[in-house]
């Protein structure tokens, strides 16, 4: 039995050393492969923006941070991530505040009517965080929102990095990830979404009414947490309902107002743009639309900013 | 608890160490507690079902063995059959049976109002039911003596390495091993651990990757035609084969570490040249169960080959039903039955052909062609296995034949960047290449085992550097591919 234990011990030591080495290599490769390095930039702690835009694809595609920032005279950055929901936005904000100078204003995009609900394609985007698993906060977030095992993540760095394995290999074989035409990042963090709609757009009527019972408790709680974090850090929050080419869902705005703490402004821009050539689809602005909307939004924000 | 879970990673070493530390006298107790703990990890209540079967079979076997009167002996046998098959019917087939009744009633314009009863299927019920049934039947036949030690018998029913997905063991093989004084044997333990590692590799690296490709197909089935569903059906064969054979490897390996020898469950099934041969090498413990306890009994008094073939067909039909309570499995079993019987009917004719000159001269090539054809038949029929309904399966068969050449063009020219969807089924080219490499490696090992013997023995003969490199490749492949924890084994649902 002693012989077996001795050999197992030697194997474990070799595994430990190899594990660290493989984990390090994957970590390096995956970070360099990732086209969207915004979480990496956040972790580096060199972001000094006074205005941050948070939200999902509607934030990523619809808000030109540089244009808004220039107009307001404050450096701005877009931290919108396609397909992400409020729990993810909360963690992006926490991560930002942990590593960077706190901003003055946060523009929080509200996804009408799904902001507090479960919806397909609207998830906690662990994939954006994956290349940065070496960071303990990122790790905690990924473990909490995926089926990755927390204990194994702490024990083995190869296991922790295993989702990045093929990306690291791709980097070795072919260099950095190439973004497709609909997800090109601009220097201000916003994303380009092409110039026209793919299909001819029709204005969408919606007959559903917002139902509080369909809300997810965790989403409502995450929203409250975002408000609480901003309040405790004296960050001004402006919630924005972005333009849409469809009828708004009755009851959602009232519910949002109900959840907003005092002092938080709400800008309802949902019917601000009616020209369908400004939309990529019924819910997303294209490049032309984002330019128009960002200009309009800058004007409205000017009147809301508290010195 | 599943073999590919983190819990098992801690559970097994603890059990193994305790097992070898403990005095032989108490080992059965440790194994019994470990086995029930292993099972109760899913649903503690369902352990009572195993306990119920154990109690009934323990007493039935002792009673029928002591009885001289044959009709009374039969009564005890029937009691065991009734309880075991009754529980299996109740938990696995009642809902399906009711659906059939409902549909049947609707045909005759009758009203069937009873609510459909659907229980949560107890994991491994089909496996341990067959195992314990074989024991009572063997005792009835006089093939084994009843086990008088209740604890050891209970361990036979719930021995954790093979409890939930086989191999379905026979009392004659397993029960005596519980009495043996097992010594710590370094070579045996290393061999067992290697087999467990190899099984995990097959499960995590191959079966789970194939599984995610099959899943991708089912969530994009409306967009994929021709090559797409074709690749899916092939991928599914790999998934189900490597998933199940991996489970058997881990089970046999775990038992070997503890000093027990379980029967082989797979013998390079995908290298078979015909469907009957494939079935002789696939899930051997089940096919041999059907052979010994059903076919031999049915065929005892007949020499008429048409009747024998009918019985053979019946076995495949029942095997389909054993796999699952749905029309897809019924049809799957039926189709296999028909094909195997067709092979049997054409056996003489094929033998004649094989004696022809041109056949003998090209036997190697013909063997490959036959293997591929067998594989494809298995894959095409296997669509029923992966589908949720017969209608879904026929949709997939239809879409295999739809615009096939067009889909080949899509794959060749990567039209609209759709090669990834049609050929790789959602994986990147790099992941696909890695999968192919892993498949080729494992299939080559299986081929070697089929022709020349144990691969483990070959590994044991290598220099330490090569051996340890292989261990490390297996360990790190499993770690790097464990992206999603604990993908359930397919055969758990049976």
């Amino acid at each position: 039995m002693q012989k077996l234990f001795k050999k197992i011990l030697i194997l474990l030591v070799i595994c430990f050393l190899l594990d660290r080495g493989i984990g390090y290599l994957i970590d390096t490769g995956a970070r360099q492969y990732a086209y969207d390095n915004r979480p990496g930039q956040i972790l580096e702690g060199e972001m000094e923006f006074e205005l941050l835009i948070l939200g999902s694809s509607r934030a990523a595609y619809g808000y030109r941070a540089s244009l808004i920032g220039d107009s307001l005279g404050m450096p701005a950055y877009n931290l919108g991530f396609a397909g992400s929901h409020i729990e993810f936005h909360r963690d992006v904000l926490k991560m930002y505040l942990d590593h960077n100078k706190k901003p003055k204003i946060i523009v929080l995009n509200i996804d009408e009517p799904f902001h507090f609900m479960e919806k397909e394609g609207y998830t906690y985007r662990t994939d954006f965080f994956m290349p940065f698993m070496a960071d303990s906060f990122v790790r905690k977030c990924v473990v909490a929102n995926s089926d990755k095992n927390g204990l194994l993540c702490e024990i083995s760095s190869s296991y922790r990095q295993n989702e990045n394995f093929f990306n690291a290999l791709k980097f070795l074989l072919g260099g950095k990830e190439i973004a497709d035409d609909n997800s090109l990042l601009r220097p201000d963090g916003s994303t380009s979404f092409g110039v026209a709609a793919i299909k001819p757009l029709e204005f969408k009527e919606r007959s559903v009414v917002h139902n509080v019972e369909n809300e997810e408790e965790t989403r409502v709680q995450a929203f409250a947490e975002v408000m609480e974090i901003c309040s405790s850090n004296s960050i001004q929050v402006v919630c924005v309902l972005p333009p849409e080419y469809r009828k708004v869902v009755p009851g959602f705005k009232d519910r949002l107002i109900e959840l907003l703490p005092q002092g938080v402004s709400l800008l309802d821009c949902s019917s601000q743009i009616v020209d369908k050539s400004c939309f990529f689809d019924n819910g997303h602005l294209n490049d032309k639309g984002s330019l128009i909307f960002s200009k309009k939004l800058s004007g409205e924000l000017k009147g809301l900013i508290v010195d | 608890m599943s073999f590919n879970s983190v819990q098992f990673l801690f559970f097994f070493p603890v059990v193994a160490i305790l097992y070898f530390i403990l005095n032989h006298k108490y080992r059965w107790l440790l194994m019994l507690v470990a086995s029930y703990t292993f099972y109760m990890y899913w649903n503690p209540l369902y352990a009572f079902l195993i306990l119920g079967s154990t109690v009934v079979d323990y007493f039935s076997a002792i009673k029928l063995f002591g009885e001289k009167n044959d009709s009374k002996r039969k009564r005890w046998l029937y009691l065991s059959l009734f309880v075991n098959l009754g529980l299996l019917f109740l938990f696995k087939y009642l809902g399906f049976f009711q659906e059939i009744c409902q549909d049947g009633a609707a045909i005759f314009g009758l009203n069937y109002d009873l609510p459909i009863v659907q229980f949560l299927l107890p994991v491994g019920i089909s496996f341990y039911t067959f195992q314990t049934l074989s024991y009572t039947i063997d005792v009835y036949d006089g093939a084994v003596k009843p086990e008088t030690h209740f604890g050891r018998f209970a361990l036979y029913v719930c021995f954790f390495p093979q409890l939930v997905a086989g191999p379905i063991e026979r009392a004659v093989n397993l029960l005596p091993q519980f009495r043996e004084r097992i010594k710590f044997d370094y070579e045996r333990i290393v061999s067992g651990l290697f087999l467990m590692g190899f099984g995990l590799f097959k499960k995590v690296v191959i079966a789970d990757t194939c599984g995610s490709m099959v899943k991708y197909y089912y969530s994009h089935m409306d967009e994929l035609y021709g090559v797409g569903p074709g690749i899916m059906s092939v991928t599914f064969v790999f998934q189900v084969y490597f998933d199940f054979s991996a489970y058997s490897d881990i089970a046999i390996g775990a038992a070997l570490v503890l000093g027990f020898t379980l029967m082989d469950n797979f013998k390079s099934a995908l290298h078979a040249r015909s469907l009957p041969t494939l079935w002789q090498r696939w899930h051997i413990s089940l096919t041999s169960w059907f052979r010994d306890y059903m076919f031999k009994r049915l065929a005892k008094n007949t020499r008429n080959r048409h009747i024998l073939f009918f019985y053979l067909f019946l076995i495949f039909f029942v095997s389909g039903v054993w796999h699952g309570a749905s029309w897809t499995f019924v049809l799957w079993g039926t189709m296999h039955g028909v094909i195997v019987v067709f092979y049997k009917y054409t056996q003489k004719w094929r033998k004649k052909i094989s004696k022809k000159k041109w056949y003998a001269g090209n036997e190697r090539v013909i063997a490959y062609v036959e293997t591929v054809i067998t594989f494809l038949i298995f894959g095409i029929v296997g669509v029923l296995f992966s589908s949720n309904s017969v209608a879904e399966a026929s949709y997939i068969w239809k879409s295999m034949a739809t615009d096939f050449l067009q889909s080949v063009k899509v794959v060749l020219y990567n039209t609209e960047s759709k090669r990834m969807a049609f050929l790789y089924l959602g994986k990147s080219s790099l992941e696909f290449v890695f999968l192919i490499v892993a498949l080729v490696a494992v299939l080559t090992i299986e081929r070697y085992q089929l022709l020349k013997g144990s691969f483990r023995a070959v590994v044991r003969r290598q220099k330490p550097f090569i051996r340890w490199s292989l261990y490390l490749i297996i360990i790190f492949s499993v770690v790097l591919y464990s992206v999603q924890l604990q993908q359930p084994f397919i055969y758990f649902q049976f």
Side-chain angles (χ1 to χ4, degrees), chain A residues 30 51 55 71 81 98 100 117 154 162 193 215 236-237 304:
Chain A
L51 186 145
S71 162
F81 290 88
D98 279 350
N100 301 276
M117 290 197 276
E154 296 306 322
N162 63 7
F193 207 164
E215 289 177 359
Q236 188 186 349
V237 185
L304 287 173

Side-chain angles (χ1 to χ4, degrees), chain A residues 8-43:
Chain A
I8 287 177
L9 197 69
I10 295 170
L11 188 69
L12 284 177
V13 171
I14 296 173
C15 281
F16 176 80
L17 295 172
L18 265 178
D19 176 68
R20 300 288 132 163
I22 292 172
Y24 174 78
L25 286 176
I26 298 176
D27 179 51
T28 314
R31 274 170 189 258
Q32 295 193 62
Y33 178 76
Y35 171 76
D36 190 344
N37 190 37
R38 287 177 294 165
Q41 286 172 283
I42 295 174
L43 291 171

Side-chain angles (χ1 to χ4, degrees), chain A residues 183-233:
Chain A
S183 52
L184 291 168
L185 276 178
R186 298 191 187 94
D188 64 356
S190 63
T191 313
S192 168
F193 207 164
V195 285
I198 298 169
K199 291 177 246 169
L201 272 185
E202 289 296 325
F203 188 81
K204 216 173 179 178
E205 294 292 338
R206 286 195 293 199
S207 54
V208 283
V209 177
H210 182 74
N211 186 351
V212 181
E213 281 172 17
N214 293 337
E215 289 177 359
E216 288 286 318
E217 184 59 39
T218 50
R219 304 276 159 87
V220 178
Q221 207 181 325
F223 181 76
E225 267 185 77
V226 170
M227 297 300 141
E228 171 56 33
I229 292 165
C230 291
S231 154
S232 59
N233 282 284

